[in-house]
Amino acid sequence: MTEKQQGRLNFTHGNKLFILREIATYLPHPRMTRVLRAIQERHWQYARDADEVSLSHKQIATVDGMSVPTVRRAIADLIDHQLLIKTETVSCYGRQANSYKIVWSNLDAIVNDGEPLADPAPVPAQSAAVDSETSAPVLEYESTQVVKTASDHHDQSPDHCDHPPDHGDQPPPDHHDQASINPKLINPPPPSGTNNPTWREVEDLLISEFGLGRPGKAVSAARENGCATADVLRVIEYARSKPGAYGAGAIYNRISEARPGRDPAQGWPEENKRYRQRQSRTRRNDQQAQLAREARERDERKRQDQAERQRLESEFGSVLDGMTRDQLRAYVAEHCQPVIAQAIARNPDAHRSEGLYRTEILKSLKARQTDCQDHLDSANADGPAFADQR
């Protein structure tokens, strides 16, 4: 979506905060959400009347305790998915701090559709050029990292070993490429029947799967409440059972309030509106599908019944029509249900029209094919006298 198209939509500060709370579920990596929040916070504080906000990678990184390489990767991801517009600017002193504009309309569309981005941003090759804020010397703004080793100087790629800060907001070192492809690859849910994970692994799980920016405080609160990692994992499993029902804030609060032995289904806020709408659509679709299945089953039963009646008619219709009234009364009294016998006793010709009586007598004749043949032979032997007795 272009800047001109975005300008047609009016997003208030409240709208933007709501989108930032909800978008984490749909983005392929939590670092994208964290950078969006950092840019919006800076924009609201210092440039709320402007369309863009200028700040360096280092300024973005300090907002949420990220490293500069992580910020660079997140910005590249956001630009690739058309969620962020970057304008490169250079001052008269050669310094550079890029300007950024969040494409709120595209974020809002993702949240309203309730569908995650289909593919994460591609991971650049090791030799590919890295997003750089400037080619000018590094002064007040951070644009290019230069590492000095002995007498050699070389540019440091953003894919170098990026150790996470102490609060555990970053994935383990040397796994950024895998994390960009699949956020759950580094910290998959612990398999059942194995030892309980460490608290650090729980924090990494909350970051990679639910997009919590700083889960350390929530995990610390749960530990102070006497919880073990298994207690927190039960809460996480419940959140998984309702994908998209709760935002990162709700999960953070529920982890903070966890207690040993507490029912993991208790203490949650109401599911968000989009989740309830999806559940309602799912129920309606299930009901419609059930009604469609029942209609198909009825039609199939009718088709099978019709085919069965035709087979019975072709095999035993002549036998039934060849019986005299007395033979028919005697046969149905002995071999058919009382209601059929009573109907034939009242009206010996009731079997001649298609319907329940004729079908049931034909079924009975099929079950007694030897008797049917005897009746047919007897009828043929009687000749004209047989016909007079009808």
Side-chain angles (χ1 to χ4, degrees):
M1 179 172 289
T2 65
E3 296 182 57
K4 183 176 180 181
Q5 290 173 321
Q6 182 183 3
R8 298 174 186 172
L9 302 176
N10 181 24
F11 291 93
T12 65
H13 184 56
N15 296 144
K16 295 175 180 179
L17 292 179
F18 174 80
I19 292 173
L20 290 178
R21 284 197 304 269
E22 302 297 328
I23 195 62
T25 306
Y26 307 107
L27 296 185
H29 200 283
R31 66 181 176 226
M32 299 169 67
T33 306
R34 297 171 67 191
V35 166
L36 287 173
R37 290 173 179 169
I39 293 175
Q40 172 57 18
E41 181 176 340
R42 185 83 176 183
H43 185 271
W44 178 251
Q45 290 178 350
Y46 300 105
R48 68 178 64 178
D49 295 329
D51 290 336
E52 300 177 335
V53 59
S54 298
L55 65 169
S56 66
H57 289 163
K58 186 174 182 179
Q59 289 173 321
I60 297 175
T62 56
V63 173
D64 199 15
M66 294 178 285
S67 65
V68 171
T70 298
V71 171
R72 287 175 175 160
R73 281 189 295 276
I75 290 174
D77 293 342
L78 292 167
I79 293 174
D80 185 73
H81 288 295
Q82 300 183 5
L83 302 178
L84 186 69
I85 299 173
K86 181 182 76 172
T87 303
E88 296 183 356
T89 56
V90 180
S91 70
C92 59
Y93 299 102
R95 303 175 183 177
Q96 179 173 347
N98 296 329
S99 298
Y100 298 98
K101 181 177 181 180
I102 299 175
V103 187
W104 294 105
S105 52
N106 288 356
L107 290 168
D108 182 63
I110 294 172
V111 172
N112 286 331
D113 292 342
E115 294 293 338
L117 289 175
D119 297 310
V123 180
Q126 292 288 340
S127 60
V130 179
D131 171 43
S132 175
E133 294 192 12
T134 184
S135 58
V138 179
L139 298 175
E140 179 181 353
Y141 296 93
E142 179 168 342
S143 59
T144 305
Q145 290 189 342
V146 178
V147 179
K148 183 175 182 180
T149 304
S151 61
D152 297 332
H153 294 265
H154 61 87
D155 290 339
Q156 189 172 5
S157 169
D159 289 328
H160 70 90
C161 182
D162 179 20
H163 290 279
D166 292 338
H167 52 65
D169 283 350
Q170 299 296 326
D174 299 327
H175 288 291
H176 298 299
D177 290 350
Q178 294 92 330
S180 298
I181 299 172
N182 188 349
K184 299 181 183 179
L185 181 62
I186 297 176
N187 302 299
S192 58
T194 61
N195 295 331
N196 288 335
T198 64
W199 287 108
R200 177 57 183 272
E201 290 172 338
V202 172
E203 291 184 27
D204 291 339
L205 182 63
L206 292 170
I207 293 171
S208 64
E209 186 167 347
F210 298 102
L212 270 68
R214 296 182 178 180
K217 292 183 179 180
V219 170
S220 297
R223 297 179 67 179
E224 292 174 0
N225 295 336
C227 290
T229 55
D231 298 310
V232 176
L233 287 178
R234 282 193 288 271
V235 177
I236 292 175
E237 286 296 334
Y238 182 80
R240 284 179 181 152
S241 69
K242 294 186 173 184
Y246 306 108
I251 296 174
Y252 181 98
N253 292 335
R254 184 61 183 81
I255 297 294
S256 302
E257 299 167 358
R259 297 291 189 278
R262 184 182 182 185
D263 185 354
Q266 295 180 354
W268 292 94
E270 184 180 19
E271 297 93 345
N272 63 47
K273 183 178 180 181
R274 281 183 305 282
Y275 175 81
R276 297 196 304 273
Q277 290 174 342
R278 287 198 300 270
Q279 292 296 102
S280 179
R281 286 196 298 269
T282 300
R283 286 192 294 269
R284 287 198 301 270
N285 292 339
D286 290 344
Q287 292 173 355
Q288 293 173 357
Q290 178 64 23
L291 292 175
R293 283 194 299 270
E294 293 175 354
R296 289 195 298 269
E297 290 172 358
R298 287 195 300 270
D299 293 341
E300 180 62 18
R301 286 194 298 270
K302 289 180 181 178
R303 186 190 66 77
Q304 293 177 357
D305 291 345
Q306 180 65 25
E308 179 64 18
R309 284 195 296 269
Q310 292 175 354
R311 286 193 295 269
L312 291 172
E313 193 67 42
S314 63
E315 294 179 17
F316 302 100
S318 59
V319 176
L320 176 57
D321 293 335
M323 290 184 181
T324 66
R325 293 181 176 181
D326 291 339
Q327 289 173 330
L328 179 61
R329 291 192 186 97
Y331 178 83
V332 297
E334 181 178 356
H335 300 290
C336 297
Q337 299 178 0
V339 63
I340 305 296
Q342 294 171 4
I344 296 299
R346 291 192 301 269
N347 180 12
D349 295 326
H351 69 287
R352 298 196 179 280
S353 59
E354 291 187 1
L356 174 64
Y357 300 147
R358 185 173 182 86
T359 301
E360 291 300 319
I361 297 173
L362 290 174
K363 289 181 180 179
S364 175
L365 290 172
K366 181 179 179 180
R368 297 167 178 80
Q369 296 190 37
T370 302
D371 294 342
C372 296
Q373 189 62 42
D374 292 342
H375 282 293
L376 182 60
D377 293 341
S378 176
N380 292 335
D382 289 341
F386 172 79
D388 294 340
Q389 295 176 12
R390 294 183 182 181

